[in-house]
Structure formats: C-alpha cells, structure tokens
Amino acid sequence: MSDLYQDNLFAKKEKKIYTVAEITEYLQALIKEDTLLSDFWISGEISNFYHHSSGHMYFTLKDKNSQLKTVMFKGYNSSLDFEPEEGMQVEARGSLDIYAQRGEYQFYAREMVKAGKGKLYEAFEKLKENLEKEGLFAESKKKEIPLLAKKIGIVTSPTGAAIRDILSVMKRRSGNFSVLIVPAHVQGDLAKGEITAGIKYLNSRDDIDLIIVSRGGGSIEDLWPFNEEEVARAIYNSKLPVISGVGHETDFTISDFVADLRAPTPSAAAELATANREEILNRLENLTKRLLNSSSTKIKEYKNKVESISERRIFSSPEELFRNYEQELDRLETGLIHQIEKDYKNWENKYQLLYQKLNNLSPLQTLDRGYSILQDENENTIKSVDEIKTGEILNARLSDGLAELEVKATRKVGDNND
C-alpha cells in the first residue's frame, strides 16, 4: 500500500501538494484493497469493440445508465468459443484497476460468456466438482483401449459432421474392423436420454469391443448434453471402454473427464480407436529388431562370462576345490580328538576325587582300622546289648571276613563287674 494511503490523504494537516501520479497510486491502492473489485462478474452490452493485431480486445461494457471501459488480453480471449461483436450481451469476470497513463479506471476481463451462459458454466463446474469427489474421473478406474478393436460402436448423430469425419478417417485406415452406428440426438432435450440409451444398448451386445461417443463443435448450449450427469454416469458404468470425441480441441465436457480416453476431435477419436495396419507392422518390425539386438547382446554377454569362468584355475584343477575342505576337516578332526581327550581326563579326575570321598565315608574303611560290626542271624546290625541274649549266635563282620560268636554274657556300660 502506498505511503499516501497510509498518511490518510484527507486528514487535516498542513498544506501539501501531491502529484497526479501520487493520487493515481493512492486510488489504485484503494481499489486493490477492495476484495469485491479484485474478482467479480459483470453483465453488459458490448460497444466500440476493437480486436487489436496484438490479439488483445478493447471494448466498452454498457447498460442504460453507465459504461465501463474493458480490456481482455490475448492470453484470456484465446479460449473464447465465440467472437464478440457490437451489441452482444455478455457476462464477464475480472477485476477493476486504473490505467495510469490515461487516468481512467477500466475492467480487466479474464472470462467472458454470452449472456445466460454464466449459469451453464456454474452448473458445469458444480457437477464436475461433485463427480470428481465421487471418483468418476479417477485414473485408476480408466479401462484400457484395445489395440485391435474388431467392432466399434459409435453413438452420435447419423447426419452430423462428426460421423462423416469418423468414417472418413476409418476409410483411410487399414484394419480388420467394423462399426455399428447407434443414432442419437447430440443436442436438445432428447439428446441426453438417447445418448445414455445408446451406450447401454452397446453394452448389452457381446460383439462390441469399444464405444465412441461423439459430436462436432458448437456452443456450450449445443454441447450441453455431454455435460449431463445422466450421460456421465452411463459412460462411467459402461463395461466397455469409451472414447469421448466431442467438439473442438479447446472444448471440454464432463464426458471427456469420465471417459476412458478423451479425443480432442471426432477425427482424433477415430484415429485412436482404429489401428493402422502399416503402423502395427512397423511397430512389430521395430520390436523384432529390438528383441534380436537385445538377445544378441545378452548372448555375447553370457558367452564372455562363461569363457571368463572357464579360464579360472578351479576349472583346470577342480581337485583344488576340495583341498581347503580336506585341510579344514583334518583340523576339525584333530581338534575334536584333543577335546575328547581333555574331557576324558577331566571326568577321570572327577571320578577319582568322588571315589576317594566315597571310600573315606565307607564303613569298610573303619573295619580296616580294627573295628567290627555285629549282626544277628538276620543280618540286622546290633547297636545295643539290649538287642541280644545270652547263648545267641552273632556274626562279627571284619575287614577280611566273618566270625560266628556265641554270647556268654552281656553287660551294659556302667554296670558293676561281677
């Protein structure tokens, strides 16, 4: 924003003189700050129309009470589907600004339609947005166009320019295919129903490989049947692939976005739908050459690889392949023997230690020191004199054998000697 605008031009301050450029800049800043004036639609009648050699259009939009100078640059007017002329009622979208060199405010148009078309464009954009959100335009849903379609169904007017263009292209093409024309109105109230019915009919047959939906160029009103939701859903739900060839290259319809392939013109649709025999033969010849070259290269590569491998020492002396393994086996065997011997000695030492401990605890060791064990005839160990009787025969177990003893008398520790 200019400093002039920031300082407030009309504040009561000391007298200051401004230049024309400063005032113009101030007014431009005011206009640019206004969101309404930066993007709006306006309707009016064209007058003083002039299409400059540069491609830019200059004219005035007027109504009963006012007029507004307007410019539409080449980058924007090149997409118009009509030629503006004196007295034409139009609706234009753009922004307001000041042409500083002349000190005039003027309208800079970016879009323009004939009066009444604005609602059609609005309906077009709304339906396009809804169907896109729903996924009807998704590339993942597109069906592949057959390379060699044997029978092609065409939904179009049988008397229009589109069918003549399509058949003219097909006559020039060499191929084993035929066409089935399903007549339909391509503009007017009957069109959407007949186009939809034609698509469904072709899907009911089992001899159709591909469908073309087409018509020649025209105004947005003429092309409107191909912007109908009913037609769009019929194309989307088609089991057969569909090519849309509607209008001229600059025309876009909802059918184009839903179809499996969009052709810029009816003639282009015919080109895309029919395979040219010469093109296919050339393509096959190129593929054959590529295959042969690729195979030859691969064979040479593998041959060189085999020769390189065959020259390695391992193939001249294959027994060397096993030498390392034999040496490793000997090493493992020696290591295993050493480990077994080591483990054996460890277990032997443990055995001797345990044997010594067990032997030390053995009652036989006690017998070696001069002790004996008394047992009755049932080999029960006698622990007390109370367990024996006079005259009873006992066994005395010594370190080197047994002795039979007869009990003459018993006496407990502490008893007086008789």
Side-chain angles (χ1 to χ4, degrees):
M1 188 181 295
S2 69
D3 294 337
L4 182 62
Y5 184 73
Q6 293 281 8
D7 294 339
N8 190 344
L9 176 64
F10 302 105
K12 290 184 178 181
K13 295 182 179 180
E14 62 183 39
K15 181 179 179 181
K16 183 177 180 179
I17 306 300
Y18 296 96
T19 65
V20 175
E22 288 176 328
I23 296 298
T24 302
E25 181 185 355
Y26 175 76
L27 292 174
Q28 284 179 320
L30 287 176
I31 292 173
K32 289 179 180 178
E33 284 292 311
D34 192 308
T35 55
L36 170 64
L37 299 179
S38 63
D39 187 8
F40 64 95
W41 282 89
I42 189 171
S43 63
E45 178 185 329
I46 293 178
S47 66
N48 300 319
F49 179 77
Y50 175 55
H51 200 161
H52 196 275
S53 59
S54 64
H56 308 322
M57 293 180 178
Y58 301 92
F59 53 94
T60 301
L61 288 177
K62 67 177 184 177
D63 55 22
K64 292 181 180 180
N65 301 315
S66 303
Q67 63 180 15
L68 178 62
K69 286 186 177 296
T70 304
V71 58
M72 192 173 195
F73 293 119
K74 180 181 178 181
Y76 294 115
N77 66 48
S78 59
S79 61
L80 293 178
D81 61 354
F82 67 96
E83 181 67 25
E85 56 187 31
E86 292 287 328
M88 181 180 289
Q89 289 287 335
V90 295
E91 296 171 354
R93 180 185 183 183
S95 60
L96 197 69
D97 203 347
I98 292 179
Y99 182 44
Q101 286 81 347
R102 293 184 180 179
E104 298 175 344
Y105 73 91
Q106 61 185 17
F107 181 65
Y108 291 84
R110 297 192 299 272
E111 298 178 43
M112 188 162 63
V113 297
K114 293 181 182 179
K117 286 187 179 180
K119 292 183 179 180
L120 290 179
Y121 277 113
E122 185 178 346
F124 172 88
E125 291 296 337
K126 184 176 181 180
L127 179 60
K128 180 185 174 185
E129 181 180 359
N130 291 338
L131 296 184
E132 186 171 14
K133 287 181 179 177
E134 194 176 331
L136 270 67
F137 303 163
E139 287 297 325
S140 60
K141 301 292 184 180
K142 305 295 186 187
K143 293 177 283 296
E144 187 176 355
I145 305 301
L147 179 62
L148 296 171
K150 292 184 179 180
K151 194 163 189 176
I152 303 168
I154 306 173
V155 181
T156 190
S157 170
T159 59
I163 191 62
R164 292 196 297 271
D165 292 342
I166 290 173
L167 294 178
S168 175
V169 170
M170 289 184 172
K171 284 181 181 178
R172 299 199 312 267
R173 311 286 275 183
S174 300
N176 183 22
F177 59 85
S178 60
V179 297
L180 174 62
I181 301 172
V182 179
H185 283 85
V186 289
Q187 68 183 69
D189 296 335
L190 298 176
K192 66 177 180 180
E194 293 183 359
I195 295 170
T196 300
I199 295 171
K200 291 181 178 178
Y201 168 71
L202 291 172
N203 272 273
S204 68
R205 298 174 62 104
D206 58 4
D207 59 342
I208 303 297
D209 299 315
L210 176 65
I211 297 175
I212 296 177
V213 177
S214 184
R215 69 147 287 153
S219 65
I220 187 172
E221 293 90 350
D222 295 337
L223 303 179
W224 194 253
F226 298 91
N227 291 321
E228 295 283 0
E229 183 173 359
E230 181 180 338
V231 175
R233 293 195 180 277
I235 293 174
Y236 179 76
N237 293 323
S238 173
K239 295 179 181 178
L240 298 171
V242 178
I243 296 177
S244 174
V246 178
H248 301 302
E249 190 167 353
T250 56
D251 296 323
F252 281 89
T253 64
I254 298 295
S255 296
D256 292 330
F257 296 111
V258 182
D260 301 295
L261 182 63
R262 184 243 176 190
T265 63
S267 298
E271 294 277 355
L272 295 170
T274 56
N276 186 291
R277 185 173 182 272
E278 185 176 351
E279 290 177 1
I280 294 175
L281 291 176
N282 289 337
R283 185 176 177 184
L284 288 175
E285 184 178 355
N286 290 333
L287 289 173
T288 301
K289 289 180 180 179
R290 288 175 58 187
L291 179 60
L292 290 174
N293 290 336
S294 177
S295 300
S296 177
T297 302
K298 281 293 180 184
I299 290 172
K300 289 180 180 178
E301 180 182 336
Y302 290 132
K303 182 180 178 181
N304 292 335
K305 199 169 186 179
V306 170
E307 289 177 351
S308 175
I309 293 174
S310 65
E311 291 174 356
R312 293 180 183 177
R313 185 178 178 184
I314 190 64
F315 289 99
S316 60
S317 303
E319 66 277 3
E320 292 185 3
L321 180 65
F322 302 99
R323 287 179 181 175
N324 290 336
Y325 293 108
E326 290 175 351
Q327 186 175 351
E328 180 67 11
L329 183 61
D330 290 343
R331 187 186 68 80
L332 292 174
E333 181 182 4
T334 301
L336 181 60
I337 291 172
H338 288 166
Q339 186 63 42
I340 291 173
E341 291 176 350
K342 181 180 178 181
D343 291 344
Y344 175 79
K345 287 181 180 180
N346 288 338
W347 284 111
E348 185 179 22
N349 293 334
K350 288 181 180 180
Y351 169 77
Q352 292 296 336
L353 180 62
L354 291 173
Y355 175 80
Q356 187 63 40
K357 288 182 179 181
L358 182 62
N359 192 47
N360 292 337
L361 296 174
S362 172
L364 297 178
Q365 193 73 11
T366 303
L367 296 179
D368 287 341
R369 295 199 299 271
Y371 294 91
S372 64
I373 300 173
L374 290 178
Q375 294 177 321
D376 62 16
E377 57 184 2
N378 295 322
E379 295 186 355
N380 295 319
T381 301
I382 305 301
K383 299 179 181 179
S384 173
V385 295
D386 294 334
E387 297 177 1
I388 59 177
K389 299 176 182 178
T390 303
E392 185 176 0
I393 302 301
L394 302 177
N395 292 322
R397 181 177 293 277
L398 305 172
S399 63
D400 56 351
L402 294 174
E404 288 187 358
L405 305 174
E406 181 181 352
V407 178
K408 296 294 185 178
T410 62
R411 182 173 63 248
K412 295 189 74 172
V413 176
D415 289 351
N416 294 325
N417 293 329
D418 294 335

